[in-house]
Amino acid sequence: MTQTTYLFAPPAVPSLAVRGQAARLPVNRIFCVGRNYHAHALEMGKPVDKAAERPFYFTKSPSTLVVSGATVPYPPETRNYHYEMELVLVIGQAGFRVPADQAHRLVYGYACGLDMTRRDLQLVARDKGRPWDLGKDIEHGSVVSEVVPMQGTVLTEAELALEVNGAGKQKSDIRMLIWDLREIIADLSLFYHLQPGDIIFTGTPEGVGAVQPGDRITGHVAGVGEIALQIGPAE
């Protein structure tokens, strides 16, 4: 059998701890749902009419993954670095064109997530009709807690909240999602063959805002867990 050789060492597989298990969950792809809470859509100046629109998505590279509790540098080329607290849905079974009433079959579990965003760069790109990559696909910009296995369970309510240096900034409930978890899985699976290890940031509520070097972000999703991130000096 021929052994593959590489010009340089390939990167390690991005992975997450799983509560109660020694084995880690390999992360395949990171999908994010944009503007999935009405109040956040309004604060971004882009209200959503669910009757006339479908969900939209962007992706982040698995290499941007950071585990909860880490210290990360304040990223380059931004003066407006934002937190976004989210429930993260973890896919455990393959699925394509999945009906909403069968979406639970794909659920492995959940985690807490921070979708860190260079807001100034995102808004410039948005207003010029350009891709969001520089604003969203940020090194150290996808922060995720340990995964809590909940096979086949579709959450319909859970408080999520975020604090910066102990001061409350975001607080809502996933009951307020515009597109619920079943709808997200069903719609996203029309575009992609979802695979085990895919994770989906399901959207952030209102209250997003900027952080500075030295700030500590903490948050939780009720029944799922907690998350923390320390912002280090700028590079």
Side-chain angles (χ1 to χ4, degrees):
M1 182 176 179
T2 303
Q3 183 176 1
T4 302
T5 58
Y6 299 97
L7 292 174
F8 43 83
V13 176
S15 66
L16 295 168
V18 179
R19 184 177 298 175
Q21 297 190 27
R24 295 179 67 85
L25 185 138
V27 174
N28 184 39
R29 292 175 291 189
I30 301 175
F31 297 102
C32 303
V33 185
R35 294 197 292 267
N36 202 21
Y37 287 80
H38 280 297
H40 174 59
L42 289 172
E43 76 179 350
M44 296 301 293
K46 296 287 184 179
V48 174
D49 179 2
K50 185 177 181 180
E53 301 180 43
R54 292 176 64 175
F56 77 92
Y57 312 95
F58 56 93
T59 60
K60 302 183 81 166
S61 305
S63 62
T64 66
L65 190 69
V66 173
V67 298
S68 174
T71 297
V72 301
Y74 190 91
E77 299 300 319
T78 182
R79 296 183 178 179
N80 198 19
Y81 195 42
H82 277 212
Y83 53 80
E84 295 188 6
M85 180 70 198
E86 309 197 16
L87 172 68
V88 175
L89 169 64
V90 180
I91 299 295
Q93 297 289 333
F96 180 57
R97 296 175 179 162
V98 180
D101 63 2
Q102 296 298 310
H104 61 279
R105 296 179 180 270
L106 273 63
V107 176
Y108 175 78
Y110 298 93
C112 305
L114 297 173
D115 170 22
M116 302 302 292
T117 303
R118 285 188 277 222
R119 188 72 72 201
D120 42 2
L121 302 191
Q122 181 204 14
L123 295 182
V124 167
R126 184 194 73 180
D127 294 344
K128 293 187 175 182
R130 296 174 178 173
W132 289 8
D133 296 45
L134 292 179
K136 286 289 191 178
D137 195 20
I138 304 165
E139 293 173 341
H140 318 297
S142 304
V143 188
V144 184
S145 70
E146 68 174 358
V147 175
V148 179
M150 297 186 191
Q151 288 97 331
T153 299
V154 178
L155 297 180
T156 57
E157 58 182 6
E159 179 191 80
L160 69 168
L162 177 142
E163 302 81 36
V164 177
N165 301 326
K169 299 296 183 180
Q170 289 185 283
K171 188 173 183 179
S172 188
D173 194 286
I174 66 167
R175 291 184 292 105
M176 305 303 291
L177 286 168
I178 298 172
W179 287 279
D180 65 27
L181 304 184
R182 287 187 179 275
E183 291 171 316
I184 291 168
I185 291 172
D187 188 73
L188 188 59
S189 74
L190 298 176
F191 298 95
Y192 297 94
H193 292 75
L194 296 178
Q195 299 293 327
D198 288 341
I199 66 174
I200 305 170
F201 282 68
T202 57
T204 195
E206 70 276 14
V208 299
V211 289
Q212 301 296 329
D215 285 345
R216 180 169 176 80
I217 304 169
T218 54
H220 73 268
V221 177
V224 174
E226 299 180 347
I227 196 166
L229 184 72
Q230 184 75 31
I231 306 299
E235 294 184 309

